[in-house]
Amino acid sequence: MSSENHNRLPRLHVDRENISRGEICGLSEGQHHYLRNVMRLKPGDRVRAFNGRNGEWLAEVTEISKKNTIISFAEKIREQSASPDVWALASPVKKEAFDMMVEKSAELGASHFFPVLCDHTVVPRVNRERLQAISTEAAEQCERLDVMEVSALLDIESLFETWSSGRKLIFCVERSEAPPIAQALQKLPRRSPLAVLVGPEGGFSENEIRRIKDQPFAVPVSLGPRILKAETALIAALACVQQFSE
Ligand code: SAH
């Protein structure tokens, strides 16, 4: 592998099973537009590419026409590595805030994002495809080698039905006697599978809080004395989790 510094080269996720030396690959319309019209790349210029399985590759632009861009994989520059086994679970909130929750969860290393329907969820729908695209762009930008998977909207009970007992659920709940998140995380084995759950703008219902706390894998935590917006709560919780999971 080359020790040259490639940090400034555009970085692209390519949707393909395998990457190997010498193979060529057409880019998506968005990537083509970005490389041609924003970065103004020319044939012979280089980019970085990854598919979530075969590490990161140096690639060369072999064709950049009006309509499309083709690259050719040249050399592997990073071996594949997995993100920590951390899930982000959050009630949908208004669009901009929820987009941000997806983007920041990807940056903070979550492996999966589950939009969950709660009693007080105001916007009971999500555009999974759009959110997945946000996750992919965040992966390109933050240099992770895999892409956080965004699931369709689920209700929390259906997730609980198949929950594996080894995965603790870090349950963020305000105005409670729950211990501070760092204290709770310290008691768990490092790098163990985790999930982080935050509620909607209106918080969880009393009934939900009881149901969730009853789960043997639930670990209620506090994020401090202030009442945070849902997006702030998720980012703050994942930032803490990141310290214990990598
Ligand atoms: N409207 C509610 C607050 C909801 S905050 C109220 O005024 O009571 C949205 C979500 O962020 C909550 O469901 C919880 O999961 C999380 N959250 C916000 N502040 C928190 C805190 N200090 N500790 C733990 N979780 C918090």
Side-chain angles (χ1 to χ4, degrees), residues 128-166:
R128 201 198 71 82
E129 233 171 83
R130 232 190 77 254
L131 296 176
Q132 186 63 62
I134 291 174
S135 166
T136 303
E137 274 186 31
E140 291 179 329
Q141 176 268 323
C142 77
E143 304 207 340
R144 58 188 282 172
L145 286 163
D146 56 355
V147 176
M148 179 185 77
E149 211 171 290
V150 181
S151 131
L153 185 62
L154 293 161
D155 71 73
I156 191 122
E157 294 289 334
S158 65
L159 260 174
F160 287 169
E161 277 163 24
T162 54
W163 200 270
S164 96
S165 58

Side-chain angles (χ1 to χ4, degrees), residues 156-196:
I156 191 122
E157 294 289 334
S158 65
L159 260 174
F160 287 169
E161 277 163 24
T162 54
W163 200 270
S164 96
S165 58
R167 182 182 302 278
K168 296 289 188 213
L169 175 65
I170 305 299
F171 175 36
C172 301
V173 48
E174 71 283 4
R175 295 194 194 88
S176 75
E177 301 290 293
I181 185 168
Q183 194 177 312
L185 290 168
Q186 236 149 22
K187 294 199 173 133
L188 301 175
R190 268 191 100 83
R191 298 196 187 87
S192 56
L194 289 178
V196 172

Side-chain angles (χ1 to χ4, degrees), residues 3-4 7 22 37 43 48 50 52 54 85 91 93 95 98-99 106 137 145-147 152 165 175 182 222 241 244:
S3 55
E4 205 186 323
N7 296 349
N37 304 328
R48 293 174 290 166
F50 66 106
N54 302 116
D85 189 358
S91 161
V93 291
K95 185 164 165 279
F98 204 53
D99 287 357
E137 274 186 31
L145 286 163
D146 56 355
V147 176
S165 58
R175 295 194 194 88
S222 162
V241 163
F244 293 85

Side-chain angles (χ1 to χ4, degrees), residues 1-241:
M1 275 188 225
S2 120
S3 55
E4 205 186 323
N5 192 344
H6 306 298
N7 296 349
R8 284 170 190 276
L9 297 178
R11 192 166 182 278
L12 311 167
H13 175 260
V14 289
D15 191 9
R16 56 190 286 131
E17 281 294 310
N18 279 299
I19 297 183
S20 51
R21 188 186 304 266
E23 271 183 353
I24 60 165
C25 172
L27 299 182
S28 73
E29 218 178 300
Q31 290 169 334
H32 161 66
H33 169 77
Y34 172 70
L35 295 186
R36 182 172 189 268
N37 304 328
V38 181
M39 301 303 290
R40 305 203 170 277
L41 293 198
K42 303 270 176 292
D45 283 340
R46 297 184 308 170
V47 298
R48 293 174 290 166
F50 66 106
N51 66 349
R53 276 183 285 273
N54 302 116
E56 180 168 292
W57 286 70
L58 205 55
E60 193 182 297
V61 173
T62 53
E63 186 185 321
I64 189 158
S65 65
K66 224 174 181 159
K67 282 247 157 73
N68 60 29
T69 298
I70 294 172
I71 60 171
S72 154
F73 302 111
E75 182 194 353
K76 191 190 268 195
I77 50 175
R78 267 170 79 197
E79 285 298 346
Q80 186 66 33
S81 61
S83 290
D85 189 358
V86 173
W87 295 356
L89 276 55
S91 161
V93 291
K94 64 179 185 339
K95 185 164 165 279
E96 294 72 22
F98 204 53
D99 287 357
M100 176 161 88
M101 286 165 93
V102 169
E103 181 182 270
K104 301 310 166 202
S105 298
E107 287 178 43
L108 289 164
S111 62
H112 287 77
F113 189 99
F114 295 92
V116 293
L117 200 55
C118 301
D119 290 346
H120 296 156
T121 298
V122 178
V123 198
R125 74 196 86 83
V126 294
N127 180 340
R128 201 198 71 82
E129 233 171 83
R130 232 190 77 254
L131 296 176
Q132 186 63 62
I134 291 174
S135 166
T136 303
E137 274 186 31
E140 291 179 329
Q141 176 268 323
C142 77
E143 304 207 340
R144 58 188 282 172
L145 286 163
D146 56 355
V147 176
M148 179 185 77
E149 211 171 290
V150 181
S151 131
L153 185 62
L154 293 161
D155 71 73
I156 191 122
E157 294 289 334
S158 65
L159 260 174
F160 287 169
E161 277 163 24
T162 54
W163 200 270
S164 96
S165 58
R167 182 182 302 278
K168 296 289 188 213
L169 175 65
I170 305 299
F171 175 36
C172 301
V173 48
E174 71 283 4
R175 295 194 194 88
S176 75
E177 301 290 293
I181 185 168
Q183 194 177 312
L185 290 168
Q186 236 149 22
K187 294 199 173 133
L188 301 175
R190 268 191 100 83
R191 298 196 187 87
S192 56
L194 289 178
V196 172
L197 171 64
V198 303
E201 293 94 334
F204 293 104
S205 68
E206 288 303 321
N207 190 29
E208 260 170 345
I209 293 177
R210 219 172 310 116
R211 274 287 302 149
I212 297 167
K213 279 188 176 162
D214 274 352
Q215 306 300 321
F217 44 79
V219 181
V221 300
S222 162
L223 298 169
R226 287 163 298 276
I227 306 302
L228 308 175
K229 286 190 167 186
E231 60 270 35
T232 318
L234 183 62
I235 294 168
L238 287 173
C240 289
V241 163

